[in-house]
């Protein structure tokens, strides 16, 4: 641990900054975990794309199809490859609290910087505030590592800003990945933005949030390694300009990526997000690999459409 439990907020405010990406996990043809492929991708993301932190074993990484041991191994590989050059935040999310705590302790023990825990599915619960507070408190009480909340529609509800603000008072809550409408994350930023990082996964809203809300952390999704190459780091470029207060210049660079965003939107099948992401990685020269059930693979026709869109998007390879 690089900080104590009660220093977690201050440490994260100072060190958890910049562009963090949510890692896809490559699986081999036999669907086994591709350790070497993940290591290769991480090296590229850090060394070539200058990504400042990685979100490991989240929904992009198909944690829901992985065994407990695979998830632990996923943490270890990321810590080893990041080697202090980039931060790590490990998704320990699970519906079973004992699994969450086991993964949280492993993340802490293996040298992760932070963990993220998504809001649990709460069947039949209509007044969620106390349930959520006690859930996050139980995790905070057991580990010292900094914890990010994560609220998204997959839970069946969205955590309200007031609920998040109360949880943010716990000593080692350091951030929230808040996948909600903009008015909700603006309100939460106004309430707790001086104490914890508030962020959302939308790359298209990132620059506006730096300019209008003073955000310092993009937490996080796949655009940092899907919109960029060794020779074309426009997301990094516009972020740097924004952090320097050069917003008009930053907007020009951001808007120049619209053809890439459009290519991804028109060619991404609605029911195959991870398979699309992995094939796009392969077109970029990274390691994509298979997806596991319940996710579906791209058809040959879908791959052809993605390749055509990719070749016309204007990324410099």
């Amino acid at each position: 641990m690089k900080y104590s439990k009660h220093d977690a907020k201050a440490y994260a405010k100072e060190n958890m900054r910049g562009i963090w990406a949510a890692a896809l996990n490559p699986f081999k043809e036999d669907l086994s975990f591709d350790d070497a492929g993940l290591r290769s991708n991480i090296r590229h993301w850090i060394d070539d794309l200058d990504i400042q932190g990685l979100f490991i074993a989240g929904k992009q990484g198909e944690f829901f199809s992985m065994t407990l041991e695979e998830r632990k191994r996923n943490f270890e590989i990321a810590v080893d490859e990041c080697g202090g050059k980039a931060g790590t935040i490990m998704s320990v999310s699970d519906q079973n609290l004992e699994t969450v705590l086991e993964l949280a302790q492993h993340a802490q023990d293996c040298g992760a910087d932070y963990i993220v825990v998504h809001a649990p599915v709460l069947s039949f619960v209509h007044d969620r505030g106390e349930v959520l507070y006690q859930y996050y408190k139980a995790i905070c009480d057991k580990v010292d590592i900094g914890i990010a909340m994560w609220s998204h529609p997959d839970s069946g509800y969205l955590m309200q800003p007031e609920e998040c603000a109360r949880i943010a008072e716990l000593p080692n809550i350091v951030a929230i990945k808040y996948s909600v409408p903009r008015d909700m994350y603006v309100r939460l930023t106004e309430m707790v933005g001086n104490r914890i990082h508030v962020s959302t996964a939308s790359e298209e809203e990132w620059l506006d949030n730096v300019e209008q809300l003073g955000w310092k952390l993009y937490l996080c999704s796949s655009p940092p390694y899907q919109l960029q190459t060794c020779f074309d780091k426009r997301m990094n470029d516009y972020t740097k300009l924004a952090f320097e207060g050069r917003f008009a210049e930053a907007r020009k660079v951001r808007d120049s990526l619209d053809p890439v965003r459009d290519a991804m939107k028109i060619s991404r099948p609605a029911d195959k997000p991870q398979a699309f992401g992995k094939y796009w990685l392969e077109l970029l020269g990274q390691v994509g690999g298979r997806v596991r059930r319940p996710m579906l693979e791209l058809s040959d026709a879908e791959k052809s459409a993605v390749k055509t869109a990719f070749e016309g998007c204007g990324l410099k390879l």
Side-chain angles (χ1 to χ4, degrees):
M1 292 282 293
K2 301 170 184 174
Y3 52 86
S4 71
K5 184 173 196 165
H6 290 276
D7 291 331
K9 280 182 169 61
Y11 182 88
K13 267 293 185 182
E14 183 64 28
N15 294 280
M16 195 181 190
R17 292 180 169 231
I19 295 173
W20 289 48
L24 288 158
N25 275 327
F27 300 121
K28 299 178 182 178
E29 278 301 309
D30 64 0
L31 298 182
S32 62
F33 193 90
D34 188 349
D35 289 34
L38 177 61
R39 288 181 181 276
S40 175
N41 284 347
I42 290 175
R43 291 265 50 81
H44 171 65
W45 297 338
I46 296 172
D47 296 342
D48 301 327
L49 303 185
D50 304 319
I51 291 172
Q52 291 168 286
L54 295 177
F55 184 116
I56 299 297
K59 291 190 294 181
Q60 294 281 2
E62 298 173 74
F63 81 88
F64 44 78
S65 70
M66 296 168 67
T67 67
L68 191 59
E69 289 309 312
E70 284 177 322
R71 293 176 72 181
K72 290 179 179 179
R73 180 63 180 151
N74 200 179
F75 296 177
E76 293 164 4
I77 291 169
V79 169
D80 184 43
E81 287 298 328
C82 286
K85 294 182 178 180
T88 55
I89 183 167
M90 311 305 190
S91 173
V92 303
S93 302
D94 198 88
Q95 193 61 15
N96 181 279
L97 180 60
E98 292 307 312
T99 299
V100 171
L101 292 172
E102 183 175 343
L103 288 168
Q105 189 63 55
H106 186 76
Q108 180 171 302
D109 292 345
C110 77
D113 293 298
Y114 315 98
I115 60 172
V116 61
V117 184
H118 71 54
V121 175
L122 296 176
S123 303
F124 312 118
V125 177
H126 301 290
D127 187 359
R128 292 179 287 268
E130 188 65 20
V131 179
L132 290 168
Y133 179 79
Q134 293 298 335
Y135 177 75
Y136 279 100
K137 184 177 185 301
I139 300 166
C140 287
D141 286 347
K142 291 289 187 179
V143 293
D144 296 331
I145 195 169
I147 300 170
M149 298 175 274
W150 185 11
S151 180
H152 52 70
D154 294 2
S155 296
Y157 61 91
L158 298 176
M159 293 170 64
Q160 295 302 301
E162 293 76 13
E163 295 167 340
C164 299
R166 183 186 178 201
I167 295 166
E169 296 294 332
L170 294 167
N172 47 329
I173 296 290
V174 301
I176 181 169
K177 182 178 179 181
Y178 207 25
S179 304
V180 299
R182 193 169 195 272
D183 65 305
M184 291 178 68
Y185 68 66
V186 168
R187 188 148 49 104
L188 183 61
T189 301
E190 292 169 349
M191 296 167 72
V192 301
N194 62 330
R195 283 174 284 154
I196 70 169
H197 287 291
V198 180
S199 191
T200 196
S202 172
E203 179 271 329
E204 293 182 53
E205 298 172 56
W206 167 230
L207 175 55
D208 292 338
N209 293 332
V210 175
E211 181 175 10
Q212 298 168 19
L213 302 178
W215 284 10
K216 299 297 183 184
L217 172 67
Y218 175 75
L219 186 74
C220 55
S221 190
S222 51
Y225 53 78
Q226 292 178 330
L227 297 179
Q228 302 193 105
T229 73
C230 297
F231 309 103
D232 192 344
K233 294 187 277 192
R234 279 176 278 172
M235 186 177 178
N236 280 8
D237 293 342
Y238 82 69
T239 297
K240 182 179 178 182
L241 289 167
F243 283 172
E244 293 172 353
R246 298 159 65 184
F247 296 112
E249 296 172 72
R251 279 191 290 276
K252 289 180 181 178
V253 178
R254 177 198 62 186
D255 293 349
S256 74
L257 281 168
D258 282 346
V260 188
R261 298 185 189 98
D262 291 343
M264 296 179 73
K265 288 175 184 176
I266 64 173
S267 63
R268 182 192 293 114
D271 58 342
K272 300 177 181 179
Q274 284 89 349
F276 167 84
K278 291 182 178 186
Y279 185 57
W280 191 272
L281 285 194
E282 290 174 6
L283 294 172
L284 285 165
Q286 300 172 46
V287 182
R290 299 281 306 279
V291 295
R292 288 178 175 174
R293 298 289 186 187
M295 310 316 296
L296 300 174
E297 299 285 0
L298 296 181
S299 67
D300 289 342
E302 288 166 335
K303 286 185 176 182
S304 179
V306 174
K307 187 175 182 182
T308 297
F310 175 83
E311 290 174 344
C313 76
L315 272 176
K316 300 173 186 174
L317 301 176

